[in-house]
Amino acid sequence: MKIGVVGCAGRMGQMLVREIAATAGCTLAGGTERVGGPALGKDLGVLAGLDPLGVTAIDDPVALFAEADAVIDFTSPESTERHAALAAQSETVLVVGTTGLNPSQQAAIATAATHTAIVQSPNMSLGVNLLLALVEQVAHTLGDDFDIDILEMHHRRKVDAPSGTALGLGHAAAAGRGVKLEDVWQKVRDGHTGARPRGEIGFATLRGGDVIGDHTVMFAGEGERIELTHKASGRQIYAKGAVRAALWAQDKTPGLYSMRDVLGL
């Protein structure tokens, strides 16, 4: 399977290049960078700290989608929306790890998924997707007798809050309770807030240092508390999951899939 990477010179893009190069059953189709970027024309292997791979960074995503069987996207919401349209036109598998998308951008991805297979997840790691399944199960079992709060911490450079993974965990908890997260979430608490409403799902966001990603879901009841936690110690787990998703999707019909589909959860 020929897999391309958009944003190939970034930190995540370099990890994806290394993972594709090391994974049996796939080859690197190419990679793109922004117009005028310093990485243009450079070998993707060299950019990723490997021996040369014979593929250079380009600034034309149309050409990349035409060449690749699948493209992996960990860029920005605006770029991902454009890439989804290209994937639909070329019927190329798209793996989306971008977070922070607004409803319009998410709708564009859903529309593109009527033409090609798209795997989208707020977090590509095996552990986090197991956590999503567990959170839904625990929320269903405990009901709203237990308060739910989601605590997350990331490095100081992260631009969206709460994180996409935290919101994914919130959606899993809400699904377990049979409600929509948007109807019960509380993203910020400040000042005189009054008593906590029954059924509310709260979020707390921390930013600092070089933390890759820590997430804890707390179920607090009378006299006891359950905490489910995942801590990422390296970003390579996201690259491994994304490449696995691309390989899984290569023979799938058009549709919007998740990592839970990929992992059979």
Side-chain angles (χ1 to χ4, degrees):
M1 189 181 195
K2 296 184 294 183
I3 303 177
V5 179
V6 289
C8 60
R11 183 166 46 190
M12 194 66 218
Q14 293 176 38
M15 290 185 180
L16 288 165
V17 168
R18 291 194 290 270
E19 188 64 26
I20 293 167
T23 302
C26 61
T27 60
L28 185 63
T32 61
E33 268 297 315
R34 70 183 185 277
V35 174
L40 293 177
K42 295 183 179 180
D43 188 281
L44 297 191
V46 175
L47 286 172
L50 304 173
D51 292 333
L53 295 173
V55 182
T56 58
I58 62 175
D59 60 8
D60 183 5
V62 175
L64 178 63
F65 276 86
E67 174 66 21
D69 299 316
V71 172
I72 301 176
D73 185 345
F74 280 79
T75 58
S76 68
E78 296 78 16
S79 295
T80 297
E81 183 177 7
R82 294 193 296 270
H83 296 150
L86 292 176
Q89 292 168 12
S90 59
E91 298 184 349
T92 303
V93 168
L94 181 63
V95 177
V96 177
T98 307
T99 60
L101 286 84
N102 63 36
S104 175
Q105 291 159 343
Q106 185 59 53
I109 291 175
T111 298
T114 63
H115 300 281
T116 191
I118 297 180
V119 180
Q120 181 184 19
S121 177
N123 193 302
M124 295 286 173
S125 83
L126 172 61
V128 164
N129 283 280
L130 287 171
L131 179 61
L132 287 165
L134 289 170
V135 166
E136 183 173 341
Q137 180 181 357
V138 173
H140 174 75
T141 301
L142 297 179
D144 61 7
D145 288 334
F146 281 67
D147 299 317
I148 300 176
D149 272 296
I150 299 165
L151 171 65
E152 59 102 343
M153 181 171 185
H154 284 82
H155 53 86
R156 62 169 65 93
R157 294 172 299 279
K158 188 168 179 62
V159 298
D160 55 316
S163 70
T165 300
L167 291 172
L169 291 166
H171 281 292
R177 287 182 169 178
V179 299
K180 289 181 61 177
L181 178 62
E182 293 81 358
D183 293 337
V184 295
W185 66 16
Q186 179 57 255
K187 293 182 179 178
V188 178
R189 295 190 181 100
D190 182 52
H192 187 77
T193 61
R196 178 183 181 133
R198 188 178 183 89
E200 179 182 270
I201 296 176
F203 292 84
T205 299
L206 303 176
R207 293 286 178 267
D210 61 354
V211 177
I212 292 172
D214 294 351
H215 295 86
T216 295
V217 183
M218 291 178 281
F219 298 86
E222 296 293 332
E224 58 182 338
R225 185 171 72 249
I226 299 167
E227 297 184 4
L228 302 175
T229 296
H230 178 273
K231 295 186 177 183
S233 57
R235 291 183 175 83
Q236 199 65 29
I237 58 174
Y238 310 134
K240 286 181 179 294
V243 173
R244 180 170 176 173
L247 290 168
W248 175 87
Q250 63 183 318
D251 59 352
K252 298 300 183 291
T253 58
L256 185 56
Y257 301 95
S258 71
M259 281 299 291
R260 295 177 72 174
D261 297 311
V262 175
L263 300 173
L265 298 174

